[in-house]
Amino acid sequence: MSDDIRARVTELLPQIRQDLEDLVRIESVSADPARASEVQRSAEAVAELFRAEGFASVDIVSADGGAPAVIAHKPGPEGAPTVLLYAHHDVQPENDHAEWDSPPFEPTERGDRLYGRGAADDKAGIAAHLGALRVHGDDLPVSVTMFIEGEEEVGSDSLPALLAEHQEALRADVIVIADSGNWDIGEPALTTSLRGLVRVDVEVRTLTHAVHSGMWGGLVPDAIMTLTKLLSSLYDDEGALTIEGLHSQPAADVDYPEERLRAESGVAPGVEWVGRGPVVERLWTQPALTITGLDAPKVDGASNTLTAAARAKLSLRVAPGDTTTNALACLTEHLEKHVPWGAALTVTTVDTGEATQIDATGPAYDAARAAFTEAWDGTAPVDMGVGGSIPFIAEFLEAFPEASVLVTGVEDPDTRAHGANEGLHLAEFEKVVLAEAFLLRNLAAM
């Protein structure tokens, strides 16, 4: 049977790729209100693909004014497990077209990759699900529910309402979330942890209005020196966080070679790493804080004045096992304790998203590991952490606590999701489709 599945994937791959390319051509940028009609068109195209596969029900739904999602169901044998297959059809903005080597919404093959916005994240997730279903055709070994979201790239704000409103339709024994990646080309992975996120805007004020720097400098602290001193207090000399009370934990025992780290991170020559501990812990299971924006006078045209107020946006990645409530409290307490010279401090929460820690044991995970190992010709999957945040996974775990949640994906270290020249490694994509076809077969035995 394994050989039959392999042969079927090879046979179906050209059409799967064609369907993926058609989806990539739709500019479903959920962050752009001007392209809301494209997001709608994308949902309709996805729904039509499911109808063509003979799904018993296909619905385009939304909640709380959110973007359109697609829910579809295809029954399997009586008594077989139900598997929910998740992906999202919205994509990130393409930003400056000049940074792309080919038009972002025209899928283009160069070398071993297919380039285009959404070619990997996450329209390839949709295509992989469809490919696995087509392999089995009308002999589907399990019942399948498809849930293709339309606003993942803008935070999935309406997802809790969708899960609540359609809970019975989405209830499943196993949930496969195809929105992550693999450890490397030729090395598959199951994502078992993701960091959470706390974002805040921090403002310090030292003056009611700007004043002459010559007349008052040396006595009155300006807001920029105050803010930089406050921000410096967040790190020690090695670049490790000094915020007390944040949680961290060990990561999987995985080697991340120095050359690969430097190539994939884009770090400039000669720059040293920050923090302490194993590399994968610093990336996956320790908290990290990034200063992502500053509001202060521009250098060009700056006058000789003491700045009255300055702001910074802080992005705190929360380690698995911690909560956003605790992390926000620890960060706020640190800022209040360390703001210098009696400056007025304002901390405004922008948004939060919980970390995820998955107990990747049990029959569903055994079935997945066996499927991945078979698809990658004997290479077992790595249990991988992800330093970024996918808060909706925690929402799935909360909504369906009895389900086994498998986080898989089509990306690899050079996918460049969210950036220019996003690309899908075509040979790895074939293995992803093959692995999911094996997985559906294996889950039938649960």
Side-chain angles (χ1 to χ4, degrees):
M1 185 176 179
S2 295
D3 289 343
D4 292 341
I5 290 176
R6 289 179 184 274
R8 185 71 173 143
V9 168
T10 301
E11 176 188 348
L12 291 170
L13 207 59
Q15 184 58 53
I16 297 168
R17 175 172 166 178
Q18 182 61 58
D19 291 333
L20 171 59
E21 292 186 6
D22 290 343
L23 290 177
V24 170
R25 291 187 177 96
I26 303 174
E27 300 182 19
S28 52
V29 180
S30 53
D32 183 1
R35 288 188 271 193
S37 61
E38 286 288 277
V39 177
Q40 180 66 37
R41 187 162 75 94
S42 179
E44 292 169 356
V46 170
E48 191 54 43
L49 286 169
F50 296 154
R51 292 188 186 103
E53 293 306 311
F55 274 68
S57 62
V58 180
D59 298 296
I60 298 176
V61 301
S62 61
D64 288 351
V70 181
I71 298 176
H73 184 72
K74 188 172 186 179
E78 184 73 27
T82 297
V83 182
L84 174 68
L85 302 178
Y86 170 96
H88 61 87
H89 67 90
D90 67 318
V91 299
Q92 281 281 320
E94 71 278 22
N95 299 318
D96 187 356
H97 285 217
E99 295 180 356
W100 290 75
D101 295 333
S102 53
F105 293 103
E106 181 52 47
T108 304
E109 182 176 351
R110 293 193 303 276
D112 51 13
R113 291 183 182 271
L114 179 70
Y115 291 90
R117 175 58 86 229
D121 183 20
D122 186 31
K123 290 177 177 178
I126 302 170
H129 290 330
L130 277 168
L133 292 170
R134 286 174 179 167
V135 166
H136 294 288
D138 291 332
D139 295 322
L140 198 60
V142 294
S143 294
V144 168
T145 299
M146 303 292 292
F147 180 39
I148 310 300
E149 193 193 353
E151 59 180 22
E152 192 276 340
E153 298 292 9
V154 289
S156 302
D157 286 345
S158 71
L159 180 61
L162 279 173
L163 293 179
E165 186 174 336
H166 301 280
Q167 188 164 23
E168 288 309 310
L170 296 172
R171 192 175 298 280
D173 301 292
V174 179
I175 300 172
V176 180
I177 296 176
D179 194 25
S180 187
N182 288 306
W183 176 237
D184 202 355
I185 301 298
E187 293 186 65
L190 287 170
T191 297
T192 58
S193 72
L194 300 103
R195 290 192 290 201
L197 175 66
V198 169
R199 289 200 304 165
V200 299
D201 289 343
V202 177
E203 181 184 89
V204 295
R205 176 173 288 276
T206 58
L207 289 155
T208 57
H209 59 277
V211 296
H212 195 288
S213 63
M215 295 179 65
W216 296 105
L219 177 66
V220 178
D222 70 79
I224 296 176
M225 69 184 289
T226 303
L227 180 61
T228 54
K229 186 172 178 63
L230 176 60
L231 296 179
S232 295
S233 77
L234 294 162
Y235 311 92
D236 65 17
D237 289 343
E238 292 181 275
L241 288 185
T242 58
I243 305 168
E244 295 182 357
L246 296 178
H247 177 82
S248 62
Q249 65 182 40
D253 185 15
V254 177
D255 181 44
Y256 208 146
E258 175 79 7
E259 292 142 4
R260 182 177 157 191
L261 268 172
R262 292 200 166 267
E264 292 171 6
S265 67
V267 69
V271 172
E272 299 176 357
W273 307 121
V274 296
R276 286 185 292 274
V279 164
V280 291
E281 288 185 13
R282 281 182 266 177
L283 290 174
W284 299 345
T285 61
Q286 291 183 12
L289 189 142
T290 304
I291 302 161
T292 59
L294 290 169
D295 282 345
K298 294 181 179 179
V299 172
D300 290 342
S303 62
N304 287 323
T305 55
L306 301 182
T307 301
R311 292 200 310 159
K313 188 178 292 292
L314 308 185
S315 174
L316 175 62
R317 298 293 171 166
V318 181
D322 206 346
T323 66
T324 57
T325 300
N326 176 67
L328 178 58
C330 292
L331 174 59
T332 303
E333 182 179 352
H334 178 100
L335 294 169
E336 291 173 345
K337 181 179 177 181
H338 289 84
V339 62
W341 304 307
L345 171 72
T346 304
V347 180
T348 304
T349 303
V350 178
D351 53 17
T352 63
E354 296 297 335
T356 299
Q357 180 71 56
I358 296 174
D359 178 15
T361 59
Y365 303 99
D366 293 342
R369 289 188 175 94
F372 278 55
T373 302
E374 187 173 3
W376 268 267
D377 300 318
T379 300
V382 171
D383 279 2
M384 189 176 83
V386 171
S389 307
I390 311 180
F392 72 78
I393 295 177
E395 291 165 359
F396 271 99
L397 290 167
E398 182 178 352
F400 305 107
E402 302 303 318
S404 298
V405 177
L406 308 175
V407 183
T408 67
V410 299
E411 298 176 22
D412 64 83
D414 199 31
T415 291
R416 305 186 192 185
H418 295 202
N421 297 310
E422 175 183 345
L424 174 71
H425 194 284
L426 292 167
E428 288 297 286
F429 176 68
E430 181 174 3
K431 288 183 169 62
V432 169
V433 176
L434 185 60
E436 190 162 305
F438 286 147
L439 173 60
L440 296 181
R441 177 202 64 190
N442 293 354
L443 289 175
M446 283 181 54

